[in-house]
Amino acid sequence: MSLHLLLVEDDATYAHGLAADLIGLGHRVEHVFDGRLALAAIDREQYDAVILDRMMPRLDGLSVVEMLRASGITVPIVMLTALSMASDKVDGLEAGADDYVVKPVDPHELIARVQAVIRGRRWTASESDTIRAGDIVVSPTSFRAWRAGQPITLANLELKLLAELARHAGEVLTRAMLIERVWGYDFEPETNIVDVYIRRLRMKLTEQGGADPIETVRGIGYSLKP
Amino acid sequence: MIGAAIRRLSLRGLTVGVLALFLIATVATGISILTANRVTVARAVDRRIAVVADLVLERDAGETRLPTPLLLTRIAALSGQRDTGDIGLLLLGADNQRLGGNIAPRFTLPMGWSDLRRRDGIIGLSHGRALVRDAGEGRRLAVVAETEPFDSYRAARTRIYLIGFGSIILIVIGGVVAFSMLVGRRIGDQRATVEAIIAGDIRHRVPVSGSDDEFDRQAAAFNRMLDRIAELMEAMRGQSNDIAHDLRTPLSRLRGQLAHMVADARDPVQAERASAALAQCDALLAMFAALLRIAEIETRQRQAGFARFDLSTLVRDTASMMIPVAEDAGRRLGVDVNIVVPDFTGDRQLLPQALVNLIGNAIKYGGDTITVSLDASEEGVSLHVVDNGPGIAPEDRSQALRRFGRLDTAREAVGGHGLGLPLVEAIARLHRGRLTLGDAAPGLVVSLILPRR
């Protein structure tokens, strides 16, 4: 899915590199240098998502988000910032941003997050509890999972991991995203926790035959086949 | 030396001491007044008795003897006068028989001065003085006078003393206790503020009563100091934000360009060089992230987000989560949670980070067996991560806790930015605890000691 993105970033070199990367991944990217230009651009055009730097001259990112939300504009916003404190993140999310990513970010990771936000918008709470992806069915509330109708015994964390992958089947979930959403950590462990758990999940999913449903996207993360 | 002793005195000690001294002084004053009073009265009474005795035994010039009738007449005359009517007089003969007078004591009064009590049986006399003088020819004259102006004078005096001194004592005790409570409360207000600030809430201020007294002025000065500290902290935070921004942005730029170089490399040698540079850039970013995380923890802002949770469950869950990671690296990880800590107050993100970090270290640098245990300790709880690896020599342990204090030797080969243990130590300090390294013989035991609140 090609996305129409607005990149708001005052550092020209970084912005050009990131824009080129995103374009290279097949998206349309428009770049503006500060908050006021961003407001004008959003007023003029329809974007699928906005990637917004936080510390900028003239109008900073937080104010941009607040102003947009105050005027009822719901465009998905991912804040991209150099400030990494927990309180900074809370500030960003409270202002109305959908996600908060610390610089530097791999373009794949950034796109994965943008797509997750966009998809999250379409996701409705009324959807049934069970999640389906290919021949996999997960029921997070009853802590059970099946593959091709056969029950699979999973530990709690493995089930949460599978549910998250199934919920976003077909999309790439990065290690950072998984650590954040499945483990609930606000830090990135130095150990390869995600890889170990994916490996175990894979083993359990393929124990009774069938192809490996989890795809490794090298250097970025994992994706469950839809 | 006395100065030092006074400085060591507690408020309570000072209060008790002052009250004790005051009580001693009051009682001593009471006793002194009582004694002086009695002595003065006795002296005056004695003078009166002596004068009356002289009047009875007065001889006219040339007179050699005093006939008994003359003495009795004099006694009767004195007894009848208004100013001497209260004085008891008794004339005894040589054989002790009563010759006359207005009193009849139950026993023989001794010669000279003596004290009299109620039991001495002189009607209407409870306390008094007696003088027995030789009246010539074997006769004796006894003169008796009361030392108390009315009956039960002593009881009345005691009552007056009790009421008077008692109310003084009560007022002083009440005053001193109220004063010490007031001082204690105002100091307590300051302490509560200091405690709140230690707990991470720099916005707390000492309440000012508005009376502009010494305490108010002290509180105001204290609050001004806190305002200044808050300003400095805010400035520091702004500075660390600037550093984060100014350093992370160029690093991000660099990383982007290196990633492009890796992607665009035509020959494998170039690709490898670019990859190595990219890896170093990532290591630099990780180190930077760890530094900023430590800085974040050290601002103590996170204490505002402290929550109450079950520490035993958190430790058990986090350590169990790491079992597959340890197994993946060929290590065995045992979890041994021996106590229940249902009401620990702390940071739900940082404590798992500390534990994941310590277990990660044990996997990287330790032996084949790792044990995580949670025990009760004197200070609260201790979380131990024990491995049976090479350990760290006692002389190197402080180095290991220092920032960038990575131990060269085997650890260098495994990589890491040397901020792992300092980060855990910062987390321990945030929780008012500490981190210690010890010998597991063989191996290393890392202990996170956390006080319970």
Side-chain angles (χ1 to χ4, degrees), chain A:
Chain A
M1 182 177 62
S2 172
L3 298 172
H4 188 198
L5 303 170
L6 176 67
L7 173 63
V8 191
E9 166 67 64
D10 62 320
D11 187 284
T13 317
Y14 182 63
H16 289 150
L18 185 60
D21 286 333
L22 296 177
I23 291 164
L25 292 172
H27 304 286
R28 282 169 59 210
V29 181
E30 228 170 283
H31 170 225
V32 292
F33 282 94
D34 67 43
R36 286 196 215 171
L37 293 171
L39 288 178
I42 292 165
D43 196 38
R44 199 174 56 232
E45 277 235 40
Q46 181 95 32
Y47 296 99
D48 291 318
V50 178
I51 297 159
L52 184 64
D53 185 21
R54 179 162 168 175
M55 285 171 86
M56 290 182 297
R58 286 163 64 149
L59 194 59
D60 72 292
L62 270 191
S63 312
V64 172
V65 180
E66 276 164 4
M67 287 167 82
L68 285 175
R69 297 307 187 223
S71 54
I73 296 170
T74 59
V75 61
I77 298 171
V78 174
M79 290 202 83
L80 180 60
T81 148
L83 306 183
S84 62
M85 289 201 195
S87 53
D88 297 328
K89 184 167 183 172
V90 169
D91 289 347
L93 296 179
E94 273 179 357
D98 296 271
D99 202 350
Y100 192 98
V101 188
V102 176
K103 274 183 199 173
V105 63
D106 189 281
H108 294 95
E109 165 113 26
L110 184 59
I111 287 301
R113 284 182 180 265
V114 168
Q115 276 169 340
V117 168
I118 294 170
R119 221 191 105 105
R121 289 293 176 84
R122 282 190 240 124
W123 227 58
T124 49
S126 62
E127 217 168 311
S128 78
D129 163 58
T130 49
I131 308 158
R132 279 162 204 283
D135 59 354
I136 293 169
V137 179
V138 194
S139 167
T141 49
S142 64
F143 295 102
R144 285 193 289 177
W146 297 265
R147 181 160 196 209
Q150 295 292 313
I152 318 161
T153 316
L154 294 177
N156 209 340
L157 207 55
E158 294 163 350
L159 191 109
K160 271 175 88 177
L161 179 58
L162 181 60
E164 188 62 28
L165 286 167
R167 206 171 279 137
H168 299 277
E171 293 170 38
V172 183
L173 292 176
T174 65
R175 290 179 181 83
M177 286 163 88
L178 289 170
I179 276 290
E180 210 175 282
R181 297 174 188 188
V182 177
W183 275 262
Y185 290 165
D186 74 346
F187 59 95
E188 281 189 50
E190 281 182 64
T191 35
N192 55 341
I193 296 175
V194 176
D195 301 329
V196 169
Y197 273 83
I198 289 281
R199 198 144 52 227
R200 284 165 69 96
L201 188 58
R202 264 188 181 134
M203 264 167 52
K204 291 190 175 176
L205 288 174
T206 53
E207 238 167 18
Q208 293 161 348
D212 180 3
I214 302 174
E215 198 185 325
T216 305
V217 185
R218 233 187 121 234
I220 301 161
Y222 299 96
S223 166
L224 190 69
K225 286 170 190 153

Side-chain angles (χ1 to χ4, degrees), chain A residues 11 21 82 86 184 186 197 199, chain B residues 248 253 260 296 321 328 349:
Chain A
D11 187 284
D21 286 333
D186 74 346
Y197 273 83
R199 198 144 52 227
Chain B
R248 210 170 234 156
R253 229 184 277 154
H260 281 154
E296 177 190 1
M321 187 277 291
D328 189 67
Q349 287 289 342

Side-chain angles (χ1 to χ4, degrees), chain B residues 75 79 85-92 97-107 109 116 120-125 129-132 141-146:
Chain B
I75 287 172
S79 298
D86 64 316
I87 297 204
L89 293 157
L90 175 68
L91 190 65
L92 293 171
Q97 87 275 25
R98 189 172 185 279
L99 297 177
N102 55 9
I103 53 168
R106 281 196 202 128
F107 64 98
L109 292 163
L116 286 177
D120 295 337
I122 296 166
I123 294 160
L125 185 138
R129 294 280 286 170
L131 173 64
V132 178
L141 175 71
V143 184
V144 170
E146 233 170 334

